[in-house]
Amino acid sequence: MNRDVREDELPGIGRRYTVSCDDGGVLTIVVHNTGRRDIYVLPPDSDHPAIVTFDDGRARAVAAILSGDYFTPPAVRGVQEVMDGLVIDWVTLTPGSPGTGHSLADLAVSSATGVTIMSILRGKATINEPTGFEVLQAGDRLVISGRRDNLPAFRRLVAGK
């Protein structure tokens, strides 16, 4: 099981899977012994989840859509393409991310991890080729490039994932 997914047995009902979302929300999926799936989406800063229910066939169709079996957007295809071990990926910082509140120079990202931050998407602004003076903020979406095997070190140093 993926470390980002919490699984709980629901005696007599089935299993519950809980995933923290990139935006701070929570996704919970209850798989009933009957095959029915209930999906609860709790947005950040809300106490009221949105709820949808699928039978087994529709749940499998949604899973195939999410996994890219039906359509893989061009931007995602680009992330999945590897040239000489180089990948481009996106990482979103949260208030608890280790890099939040630190300048790129302080973090020494490239020398410490081998990963380069190519752009920072901050709200509606884009900061291309950020300098070492740029201070990372919660909510920043970082466009990064590096070797696939360097990404875990980057995530630990900057994103905390």
Side-chain angles (χ1 to χ4, degrees), residues 71-120:
F71 171 73
T72 302
V76 174
R77 278 195 302 266
V79 171
Q80 294 172 340
E81 293 173 2
V82 179
M83 298 182 300
D84 295 328
L86 182 68
V87 296
I88 297 173
D89 204 353
W90 290 261
V91 175
T92 302
L93 301 184
T94 65
S97 295
T100 299
H102 296 279
S103 73
L104 296 180
D106 290 342
L107 294 169
V109 174
S110 287
S111 60
T113 68
V115 172
T116 300
I117 298 175
M118 300 184 318
S119 296
I120 300 172

Short mmCIF file of all heavy atoms in Angstrom, two decimals, residues 71-120:
data_model
loop_
_atom_site.label_atom_id
_atom_site.label_comp_id
_atom_site.label_asym_id
_atom_site.label_seq_id
_atom_site.Cartn_x
_atom_site.Cartn_y
_atom_site.Cartn_z
N PHE A 71 -7.50 8.79 -21.40
CA PHE A 71 -6.89 9.98 -21.99
C PHE A 71 -5.77 10.45 -21.06
O PHE A 71 -5.98 10.57 -19.86
CB PHE A 71 -7.93 11.10 -22.14
CG PHE A 71 -7.35 12.44 -22.53
CD1 PHE A 71 -6.87 12.66 -23.81
CD2 PHE A 71 -7.27 13.47 -21.61
CE1 PHE A 71 -6.34 13.89 -24.17
CE2 PHE A 71 -6.73 14.70 -21.95
CZ PHE A 71 -6.28 14.91 -23.23
N THR A 72 -4.62 10.69 -21.63
CA THR A 72 -3.52 11.24 -20.86
C THR A 72 -3.24 12.63 -21.40
O THR A 72 -2.87 12.78 -22.57
CB THR A 72 -2.26 10.37 -20.98
OG1 THR A 72 -2.57 9.05 -20.54
CG2 THR A 72 -1.13 10.92 -20.13
N PRO A 73 -3.46 13.68 -20.59
CA PRO A 73 -3.24 15.04 -21.08
C PRO A 73 -1.80 15.23 -21.55
O PRO A 73 -0.89 14.62 -21.02
CB PRO A 73 -3.51 15.92 -19.85
CG PRO A 73 -4.29 15.07 -18.91
CD PRO A 73 -3.89 13.65 -19.20
N PRO A 74 -1.60 16.08 -22.56
CA PRO A 74 -0.25 16.31 -23.07
C PRO A 74 0.74 16.72 -21.98
O PRO A 74 1.89 16.30 -22.00
CB PRO A 74 -0.44 17.43 -24.10
CG PRO A 74 -1.86 17.29 -24.53
CD PRO A 74 -2.61 16.80 -23.32
N ALA A 75 0.30 17.53 -21.02
CA ALA A 75 1.22 17.97 -19.97
C ALA A 75 1.68 16.79 -19.13
O ALA A 75 2.84 16.71 -18.74
CB ALA A 75 0.54 19.00 -19.07
N VAL A 76 0.79 15.83 -18.87
CA VAL A 76 1.16 14.66 -18.09
C VAL A 76 2.03 13.73 -18.91
O VAL A 76 2.99 13.16 -18.40
CB VAL A 76 -0.10 13.93 -17.58
CG1 VAL A 76 0.26 12.63 -16.88
CG2 VAL A 76 -0.88 14.84 -16.64
N ARG A 77 1.73 13.59 -20.19
CA ARG A 77 2.59 12.77 -21.05
C ARG A 77 4.01 13.29 -21.00
O ARG A 77 4.96 12.51 -20.96
CB ARG A 77 2.08 12.78 -22.49
CG ARG A 77 0.95 11.81 -22.73
CD ARG A 77 0.72 11.58 -24.22
NE ARG A 77 0.44 12.79 -24.96
CZ ARG A 77 -0.76 13.25 -25.24
NH1 ARG A 77 -1.82 12.62 -24.79
NH2 ARG A 77 -0.93 14.35 -25.93
N GLY A 78 4.17 14.61 -20.97
CA GLY A 78 5.51 15.20 -20.89
C GLY A 78 6.21 14.83 -19.61
O GLY A 78 7.42 14.59 -19.60
N VAL A 79 5.47 14.74 -18.51
CA VAL A 79 6.07 14.35 -17.23
C VAL A 79 6.51 12.90 -17.29
O VAL A 79 7.53 12.52 -16.73
CB VAL A 79 5.07 14.56 -16.08
CG1 VAL A 79 5.58 13.96 -14.78
CG2 VAL A 79 4.77 16.03 -15.89
N GLN A 80 5.74 12.08 -17.98
CA GLN A 80 6.03 10.66 -18.00
C GLN A 80 7.16 10.31 -18.97
O GLN A 80 7.73 9.23 -18.89
CB GLN A 80 4.77 9.88 -18.37
CG GLN A 80 3.70 10.00 -17.30
CD GLN A 80 2.38 9.40 -17.73
OE1 GLN A 80 2.13 9.22 -18.92
NE2 GLN A 80 1.53 9.12 -16.77
N GLU A 81 7.47 11.21 -19.87
CA GLU A 81 8.54 10.93 -20.82
C GLU A 81 9.88 11.18 -20.16
O GLU A 81 10.10 12.19 -19.51
CB GLU A 81 8.40 11.82 -22.05
CG GLU A 81 7.17 11.48 -22.85
CD GLU A 81 6.93 12.46 -23.99
OE1 GLU A 81 7.74 13.38 -24.18
OE2 GLU A 81 5.92 12.31 -24.66
N VAL A 82 10.77 10.26 -20.30
CA VAL A 82 12.09 10.37 -19.68
C VAL A 82 13.12 10.36 -20.79
O VAL A 82 13.12 9.49 -21.65
CB VAL A 82 12.33 9.20 -18.71
CG1 VAL A 82 13.71 9.31 -18.10
CG2 VAL A 82 11.26 9.15 -17.65
N MET A 83 14.00 11.36 -20.78
CA MET A 83 15.09 11.42 -21.75
C MET A 83 16.39 11.41 -20.97
O MET A 83 16.65 12.32 -20.18
CB MET A 83 15.00 12.69 -22.60
CG MET A 83 13.73 12.76 -23.43
SD MET A 83 13.63 14.22 -24.47
CE MET A 83 13.67 15.54 -23.28
N ASP A 84 17.16 10.34 -21.13
CA ASP A 84 18.41 10.18 -20.40
C ASP A 84 18.21 10.32 -18.90
O ASP A 84 19.03 10.88 -18.19
CB ASP A 84 19.46 11.20 -20.88
CG ASP A 84 19.86 10.97 -22.32
OD1 ASP A 84 19.85 9.81 -22.76
OD2 ASP A 84 20.18 11.96 -23.00
N GLY A 85 17.09 9.83 -18.40
CA GLY A 85 16.81 9.87 -16.96
C GLY A 85 16.30 11.20 -16.45
O GLY A 85 16.06 11.36 -15.27
N LEU A 86 16.11 12.19 -17.32
CA LEU A 86 15.64 13.52 -16.91
C LEU A 86 14.12 13.57 -16.94
O LEU A 86 13.50 13.13 -17.89
CB LEU A 86 16.21 14.59 -17.85
CG LEU A 86 15.85 16.03 -17.51
CD1 LEU A 86 16.54 16.44 -16.21
CD2 LEU A 86 16.28 16.96 -18.63
N VAL A 87 13.53 14.11 -15.87
CA VAL A 87 12.09 14.26 -15.82
C VAL A 87 11.75 15.71 -15.46
O VAL A 87 12.56 16.43 -14.90
CB VAL A 87 11.43 13.32 -14.78
CG1 VAL A 87 11.62 11.87 -15.17
CG2 VAL A 87 11.94 13.58 -13.39
N ILE A 88 10.55 16.10 -15.81
CA ILE A 88 10.00 17.39 -15.40
C ILE A 88 8.78 17.06 -14.56
O ILE A 88 7.96 16.21 -14.93
CB ILE A 88 9.61 18.25 -16.62
CG1 ILE A 88 10.85 18.59 -17.44
CG2 ILE A 88 8.90 19.52 -16.16
CD1 ILE A 88 10.56 19.29 -18.75
N ASP A 89 8.66 17.70 -13.41
CA ASP A 89 7.55 17.40 -12.50
C ASP A 89 7.07 18.69 -11.85
O ASP A 89 7.69 19.75 -12.01
CB ASP A 89 8.01 16.41 -11.43
CG ASP A 89 6.87 15.62 -10.82
OD1 ASP A 89 5.69 15.92 -11.12
OD2 ASP A 89 7.15 14.69 -10.04
N TRP A 90 5.95 18.61 -11.14
CA TRP A 90 5.37 19.75 -10.44
C TRP A 90 5.21 19.36 -8.98
O TRP A 90 4.78 18.25 -8.67
CB TRP A 90 3.99 20.09 -11.01
CG TRP A 90 4.04 20.67 -12.37
CD1 TRP A 90 3.95 21.99 -12.70
CD2 TRP A 90 4.17 19.97 -13.62
NE1 TRP A 90 4.02 22.15 -14.07
CE2 TRP A 90 4.17 20.92 -14.65
CE3 TRP A 90 4.32 18.62 -13.96
CZ2 TRP A 90 4.29 20.58 -15.98
CZ3 TRP A 90 4.44 18.28 -15.29
CH2 TRP A 90 4.42 19.26 -16.28
N VAL A 91 5.51 20.28 -8.09
CA VAL A 91 5.38 20.06 -6.64
C VAL A 91 4.71 21.30 -6.06
O VAL A 91 5.12 22.43 -6.35
CB VAL A 91 6.76 19.86 -5.98
CG1 VAL A 91 6.64 19.76 -4.48
CG2 VAL A 91 7.44 18.63 -6.56
N THR A 92 3.69 21.10 -5.22
CA THR A 92 3.01 22.21 -4.56
C THR A 92 3.41 22.24 -3.09
O THR A 92 3.36 21.21 -2.40
CB THR A 92 1.48 22.07 -4.68
OG1 THR A 92 1.14 22.02 -6.07
CG2 THR A 92 0.77 23.25 -4.03
N LEU A 93 3.81 23.42 -2.60
CA LEU A 93 4.22 23.57 -1.21
C LEU A 93 3.02 23.85 -0.31
O LEU A 93 2.10 24.56 -0.70
CB LEU A 93 5.23 24.70 -1.07
CG LEU A 93 6.52 24.55 -1.87
CD1 LEU A 93 7.46 25.70 -1.56
CD2 LEU A 93 7.20 23.22 -1.58
N THR A 94 3.06 23.30 0.88
CA THR A 94 2.02 23.54 1.89
C THR A 94 2.65 24.39 3.00
O THR A 94 3.87 24.56 3.04
CB THR A 94 1.52 22.21 2.48
OG1 THR A 94 2.60 21.59 3.19
CG2 THR A 94 0.99 21.29 1.40
N PRO A 95 1.85 24.91 3.94
CA PRO A 95 2.42 25.66 5.05
C PRO A 95 3.45 24.85 5.85
O PRO A 95 4.39 25.41 6.40
CB PRO A 95 1.21 26.02 5.91
CG PRO A 95 0.07 26.05 4.95
CD PRO A 95 0.38 24.95 3.95
N GLY A 96 3.30 23.54 5.88
CA GLY A 96 4.23 22.70 6.63
C GLY A 96 5.42 22.19 5.84
O GLY A 96 6.26 21.46 6.38
N SER A 97 5.53 22.56 4.57
CA SER A 97 6.65 22.10 3.76
C SER A 97 7.96 22.68 4.30
O SER A 97 8.01 23.86 4.65
CB SER A 97 6.48 22.53 2.30
OG SER A 97 5.37 21.91 1.71
N PRO A 98 9.03 21.87 4.36
CA PRO A 98 10.30 22.36 4.89
C PRO A 98 10.87 23.57 4.14
O PRO A 98 11.57 24.38 4.74
CB PRO A 98 11.25 21.16 4.76
CG PRO A 98 10.39 19.99 4.54
CD PRO A 98 9.09 20.47 3.99
N GLY A 99 10.57 23.69 2.85
CA GLY A 99 11.11 24.80 2.07
C GLY A 99 10.34 26.10 2.23
O GLY A 99 10.86 27.18 1.90
N THR A 100 9.11 26.04 2.75
CA THR A 100 8.29 27.23 2.89
C THR A 100 8.97 28.23 3.82
O THR A 100 9.40 27.89 4.90
CB THR A 100 6.89 26.85 3.43
OG1 THR A 100 6.27 25.97 2.49
CG2 THR A 100 6.02 28.08 3.61
N GLY A 101 9.09 29.48 3.34
CA GLY A 101 9.70 30.54 4.12
C GLY A 101 11.21 30.65 3.96
O GLY A 101 11.84 31.49 4.59
N HIS A 102 11.79 29.81 3.11
CA HIS A 102 13.25 29.84 2.90
C HIS A 102 13.56 30.28 1.47
O HIS A 102 12.82 29.99 0.54
CB HIS A 102 13.85 28.46 3.13
CG HIS A 102 13.72 27.99 4.54
ND1 HIS A 102 14.56 28.39 5.54
CD2 HIS A 102 12.81 27.17 5.12
CE1 HIS A 102 14.20 27.83 6.68
NE2 HIS A 102 13.13 27.08 6.45
N SER A 103 14.69 30.96 1.32
CA SER A 103 15.10 31.37 -0.03
C SER A 103 15.73 30.17 -0.74
O SER A 103 16.20 29.22 -0.10
CB SER A 103 16.11 32.51 0.04
OG SER A 103 17.36 32.03 0.50
N LEU A 104 15.75 30.25 -2.05
CA LEU A 104 16.37 29.18 -2.84
C LEU A 104 17.86 29.08 -2.51
O LEU A 104 18.42 27.99 -2.47
CB LEU A 104 16.15 29.42 -4.33
CG LEU A 104 14.68 29.36 -4.78
CD1 LEU A 104 14.58 29.59 -6.28
CD2 LEU A 104 14.05 28.04 -4.39
N ALA A 105 18.50 30.22 -2.25
CA ALA A 105 19.92 30.21 -1.89
C ALA A 105 20.14 29.49 -0.57
O ALA A 105 21.08 28.70 -0.43
CB ALA A 105 20.46 31.64 -1.81
N ASP A 106 19.26 29.75 0.42
CA ASP A 106 19.39 29.08 1.71
C ASP A 106 19.24 27.56 1.57
O ASP A 106 19.94 26.80 2.23
CB ASP A 106 18.33 29.57 2.70
CG ASP A 106 18.56 30.99 3.17
OD1 ASP A 106 19.69 31.50 3.03
OD2 ASP A 106 17.59 31.61 3.66
N LEU A 107 18.33 27.14 0.72
CA LEU A 107 18.08 25.71 0.54
C LEU A 107 19.14 25.02 -0.30
O LEU A 107 19.35 23.82 -0.16
CB LEU A 107 16.71 25.49 -0.10
CG LEU A 107 15.50 25.90 0.75
CD1 LEU A 107 14.23 25.88 -0.08
CD2 LEU A 107 15.37 24.98 1.95
N ALA A 108 19.81 25.77 -1.18
CA ALA A 108 20.84 25.22 -2.08
C ALA A 108 20.30 23.97 -2.78
O ALA A 108 20.93 22.92 -2.79
CB ALA A 108 22.12 24.93 -1.32
N VAL A 109 19.12 24.11 -3.36
CA VAL A 109 18.39 22.97 -3.93
C VAL A 109 19.21 22.21 -4.96
O VAL A 109 19.35 20.99 -4.86
CB VAL A 109 17.05 23.45 -4.56
CG1 VAL A 109 16.37 22.32 -5.29
CG2 VAL A 109 16.14 24.01 -3.49
N SER A 110 19.75 22.89 -5.95
CA SER A 110 20.47 22.20 -7.02
C SER A 110 21.67 21.43 -6.50
O SER A 110 21.87 20.26 -6.85
CB SER A 110 20.92 23.18 -8.10
OG SER A 110 19.82 23.59 -8.85
N SER A 111 22.49 22.06 -5.66
CA SER A 111 23.69 21.37 -5.18
C SER A 111 23.35 20.27 -4.18
O SER A 111 24.01 19.24 -4.12
CB SER A 111 24.69 22.35 -4.57
OG SER A 111 24.11 23.03 -3.49
N ALA A 112 22.27 20.45 -3.38
CA ALA A 112 21.90 19.45 -2.38
C ALA A 112 21.15 18.27 -2.97
O ALA A 112 21.25 17.15 -2.45
CB ALA A 112 21.05 20.10 -1.29
N THR A 113 20.40 18.49 -4.05
CA THR A 113 19.54 17.42 -4.56
C THR A 113 19.77 17.07 -6.03
O THR A 113 19.30 16.03 -6.49
CB THR A 113 18.05 17.79 -4.41
OG1 THR A 113 17.75 18.88 -5.29
CG2 THR A 113 17.72 18.16 -2.97
N GLY A 114 20.42 17.94 -6.79
CA GLY A 114 20.57 17.71 -8.22
C GLY A 114 19.32 18.06 -9.02
O GLY A 114 19.23 17.79 -10.21
N VAL A 115 18.36 18.70 -8.38
CA VAL A 115 17.11 19.09 -9.02
C VAL A 115 17.10 20.60 -9.20
O VAL A 115 17.56 21.34 -8.33
CB VAL A 115 15.89 18.65 -8.18
CG1 VAL A 115 14.59 19.21 -8.75
CG2 VAL A 115 15.82 17.12 -8.12
N THR A 116 16.60 21.07 -10.33
CA THR A 116 16.52 22.50 -10.63
C THR A 116 15.07 22.96 -10.58
O THR A 116 14.18 22.30 -11.13
CB THR A 116 17.08 22.79 -12.04
OG1 THR A 116 18.45 22.36 -12.07
CG2 THR A 116 17.00 24.25 -12.39
N ILE A 117 14.83 24.10 -9.90
CA ILE A 117 13.51 24.71 -9.93
C ILE A 117 13.49 25.64 -11.15
O ILE A 117 14.19 26.65 -11.17
CB ILE A 117 13.22 25.49 -8.63
CG1 ILE A 117 13.22 24.52 -7.44
CG2 ILE A 117 11.88 26.22 -8.74
CD1 ILE A 117 13.07 25.20 -6.09
N MET A 118 12.70 25.27 -12.14
CA MET A 118 12.66 26.04 -13.39
C MET A 118 11.72 27.22 -13.30
O MET A 118 11.99 28.28 -13.86
CB MET A 118 12.26 25.13 -14.55
CG MET A 118 13.22 23.98 -14.74
SD MET A 118 12.89 22.92 -16.16
CE MET A 118 11.14 22.73 -16.17
N SER A 119 10.58 27.05 -12.61
CA SER A 119 9.58 28.11 -12.49
C SER A 119 8.83 27.95 -11.18
O SER A 119 8.75 26.85 -10.64
CB SER A 119 8.57 28.08 -13.63
OG SER A 119 9.17 28.33 -14.86
N ILE A 120 8.29 29.06 -10.72
CA ILE A 120 7.40 29.05 -9.56
C ILE A 120 6.08 29.67 -10.01
O ILE A 120 6.05 30.78 -10.52
CB ILE A 120 7.98 29.87 -8.39
CG1 ILE A 120 9.34 29.29 -7.95
CG2 ILE A 120 6.99 29.92 -7.22
CD1 ILE A 120 10.07 30.15 -6.93
#
